[in-house]
């Protein structure tokens, strides 16, 4: 048991800490590297660390955008988006894709990446990424705070309709997570982690 006098407690909004620890505590978090198309056919690409899978069958994912960025607008207007796997080999490109560009600028091209055709939807996937999930939007909504206050944070839900995986990452038909070089956001000013084989352990659920 941790002694009470060893616990740092504070009310939200009254912290003396130099950086909000919540995004570091709830993490590392997967990064949704989202590609979309505008109604004018211009590609957009951006990373979102408020991202996760939310259902098995049908498979569904979500990403949350603080302010209504182009990814949300495009997904809302076209009903489609792609999740490209964020990996260590692509980390610098992923970081570059967070640059603030004008809506008419093609971010896949800006980052020196290659658009590849998706199987079921119009937005391109990133050819350099070893995995992509093609999604159709099921719901987009703003977050609500206390007292039903509407926040300028937008949650986009999508159902996965097609999957693209580099064959090198399939071992006997099972996706090899530790070989993919997946990176995770760890909060702090600039902290990330890579999923490595030495961090793996197995634990079966009780019956």
């Amino acid at each position: 048991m941790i002694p009470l006098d060893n616990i740092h407690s504070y009310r939200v909004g009254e912290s003396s800490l130099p950086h909000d620890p919540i995004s570091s505590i709830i993490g590392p978090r997967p990064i949704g590297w989202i590609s979309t198309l505008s109604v004018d056919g211009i590609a957009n690409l951006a990373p979102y660390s408020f991202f996760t899978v939310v259902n098995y069958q049908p498979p569904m994912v979500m990403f949350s955008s603080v302010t209504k960025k182009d990814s949300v607008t495009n997904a809302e207007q076209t009903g489609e988006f792609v999740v490209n796997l964020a990996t260590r080999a692509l980390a610098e490109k992923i970081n570059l894709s967070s640059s603030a560009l004008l809506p008419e600028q093609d971010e896949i091209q800006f980052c020196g990446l290659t658009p590849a055709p998706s199987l079921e939807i119009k937005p391109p996937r990133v050819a350099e990424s070893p995995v992509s999930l093609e999604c159709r939007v099921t719901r987009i909504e703003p977050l609500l705070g206390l007292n039903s206050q509407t926040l300028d944070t937008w949650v986009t839900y999508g159902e996965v309709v097609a999957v693209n995986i580099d064959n090198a990452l399939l071992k006997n038909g099972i996706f090899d997570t530790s070989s993919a070089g997946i990176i995770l956001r760890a909060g702090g000013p600039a902290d990330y982690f890579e999923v490595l084989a030495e961090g793996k352990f197995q634990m079966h659920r009780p019956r």
Side-chain angles (χ1 to χ4, degrees):
M1 180 182 294
I2 302 173
L4 290 179
D5 58 359
N6 282 358
I7 297 294
H8 178 84
S9 301
Y10 66 92
R11 293 178 176 83
V12 171
E14 300 177 3
S15 174
S16 61
L17 299 175
H19 191 276
D20 185 348
I22 294 176
S23 63
S24 300
I25 294 166
I26 304 176
R29 305 184 309 280
I31 299 168
W33 201 20
I34 309 297
S35 54
T36 58
L37 274 182
S38 72
V39 291
D40 295 322
I42 299 170
N44 180 271
L45 181 65
Y48 292 88
S49 66
F50 293 151
F51 162 80
T52 193
V53 61
V54 292
N55 196 49
Y56 285 119
Q57 294 298 330
M60 298 183 71
V61 298
M62 61 75 68
F63 70 94
S64 179
S65 174
V66 180
T67 74
K68 198 171 190 179
K69 297 185 173 71
D70 291 338
S71 300
V72 179
T73 298
N74 291 348
E76 185 175 54
Q77 292 177 348
T78 68
E80 299 176 333
F81 64 92
V82 179
V83 178
N84 303 278
L85 193 67
T87 67
R88 184 66 184 90
L90 293 167
E92 296 301 326
K93 299 288 189 181
I94 293 164
N95 190 42
L96 183 61
S97 71
S98 67
S99 302
L101 301 184
L102 297 173
E104 58 267 25
Q105 290 181 275
D106 184 319
E107 282 160 318
I108 294 180
Q109 183 181 57
F110 173 79
C111 293
L113 295 163
T114 310
S118 295
L119 186 66
E120 287 290 324
I121 63 177
K122 290 182 179 179
R125 56 189 181 85
V126 174
E128 288 80 1
S129 178
V131 181
S132 59
L133 309 177
E134 301 176 24
C135 305
R136 289 201 173 101
V137 174
T138 60
R139 187 175 184 180
I140 297 177
E141 59 187 1
L143 284 180
L144 295 179
L146 295 175
N147 302 317
S148 298
Q149 176 191 6
T150 301
L151 306 179
D152 190 17
T153 297
W154 297 81
V155 183
T156 300
Y157 297 90
E159 183 172 326
V160 180
V161 296
V163 181
N164 307 276
I165 305 174
D166 183 343
N167 283 322
L169 296 178
L170 295 174
K171 311 297 185 184
N172 298 316
I174 305 297
F175 182 75
D176 186 10
T177 303
S178 61
S179 293
I182 296 171
I183 57 172
L184 310 165
R185 183 73 170 100
D191 293 342
Y192 293 81
F193 282 94
E194 180 181 356
V195 175
L196 300 172
E198 51 264 37
K200 178 182 177 179
F201 69 97
Q202 292 187 327
M203 183 168 57
H204 297 283
R205 295 181 182 180
R207 296 187 178 184

